[in-house]
Amino acid sequence: MAYTTIDKSSLHFNTKLYTGTGSSNAITGVGFQPDLLWIKSRSSTYSHSWTDAVRGKDNKIASNNSNAQYTDAGQLTSFDSDGFTLSTDAGVNNNGSTFASWNWKANGAGSSNTDGSITSTVSANTTSGFSIVKWTGTSASATIGHGLGAVPKMIIIKSLANATFWMVYNSAIGNNSEIYLNRADYGASSSSTAWQDTDPTNQVFYVGGGSGDGVNASGDYIAYCFAEKIGYSKINSYIGNGGNNNEAPFIYTGFKPSLFLVKKSSASGEDWAIYDDARHPFNPVNEALFPSATTLETNVGNGVDFCSNGVKITDDGGELNTSGATYIYYAIGQTIVGTNNVPCTAR
């Protein structure tokens, strides 16, 4: 049996569940000090909360809207060595509400990077293929250093100064397409100039300068960059077939997934959906949260199965498996790698 070079994936990414207290609330057991903290209530319709170490603990953005960054000192008290401490804000700590937090390790507050035509601040974890990048837009085409030393296959960008869509680059839909994390009513938009029709390199990614493209107008930007690492992460696409259980698609990742983020890209009308094994440790993994919506945790039919070597789609609904539709995904997995691409057995 093969093993990944990442000895313990939970030292780089971890899902941590907790219950709000309405008062100071220290969340431990993450396994590291998070540099990107994404929180969503499972039981209440509060907005998503995205905080990172580069922007600082009081600066928030929410993937369910296009709003500019806002300041809220009442949410996060601190990033801690084994988690984080929350203050009293109901959106992340309402008494009795249940919450999911997704935590990524980068490299602290970051440092200056001059690889691109614009100097950026980069916090990079080159082992796991994740970096946080901040820069100031110029309203002109540019390159931005990302610090990964590997080619990112997914990049999520948000303007901090302007109310613009959350822009997503995904290598599976190409460098002339964009898709939006905060919108369910859009599929992939072709003929985009957001990425200058150019794929990222192992040093930089490309941004267009149009004022409406949401990637390099005036003002500050934040980007979250993800490269694939064998045995740990996979970023790609699959084609739905409308079947369920054994007839549905199998996605070979080479590892047992612990998180699966998916979006129908070929048509509009379906939310992004996020599944993880902390909220549902046994198959079927069918409790979804939705990055573009404040919706409560929702049961999505048969959902998916997390197998030793990939993801088995087991639902025939539009969110996961419309016949002929293209879906893009991002998966993070556990340490032991699967040894073949034989689909796992359905329930």
Side-chain angles (χ1 to χ4, degrees), residues 5 7 61 82 84 88 121 123 128 133 146-148 161 176 194-195 201 212 224-225 251 289-290 319 328:
T5 56
D7 294 329
I61 46 179
D82 189 32
F84 51 93
T88 59
T121 299
S123 175
S128 69
V133 182
H146 54 67
L148 289 176
N176 66 348
W195 322 116
T201 71
Y224 305 108
C225 303
I251 304 162
L289 287 165
F290 308 100
E319 197 160 74
I328 56 174

Side-chain angles (χ1 to χ4, degrees), residues 38 154 156 166 168 170 179-184 186 261-264 270-275 288-293 319 328-330:
W38 175 7
M154 183 173 75
I156 300 170
W166 288 62
V168 180
N170 185 292
I179 198 164
Y180 313 119
L181 187 65
N182 64 303
R183 300 296 294 261
Y186 285 86
L261 174 67
V262 61
K263 173 75 170 79
K264 181 192 285 187
E270 298 292 347
D271 281 307
W272 292 81
I274 188 166
Y275 302 85
L289 287 165
F290 308 100
S292 59
E319 197 160 74
I328 56 174
Y329 69 87
Y330 165 57

Side-chain angles (χ1 to χ4, degrees), residues 127-129 150-154 171 226-230 232-236 329:
T127 301
S128 69
V151 177
K153 297 191 72 174
M154 183 173 75
S171 60
F226 304 85
E228 283 189 340
K229 293 293 180 177
I230 294 173
Y232 171 77
S233 60
K234 186 73 174 176
I235 300 161
N236 210 327
Y329 69 87

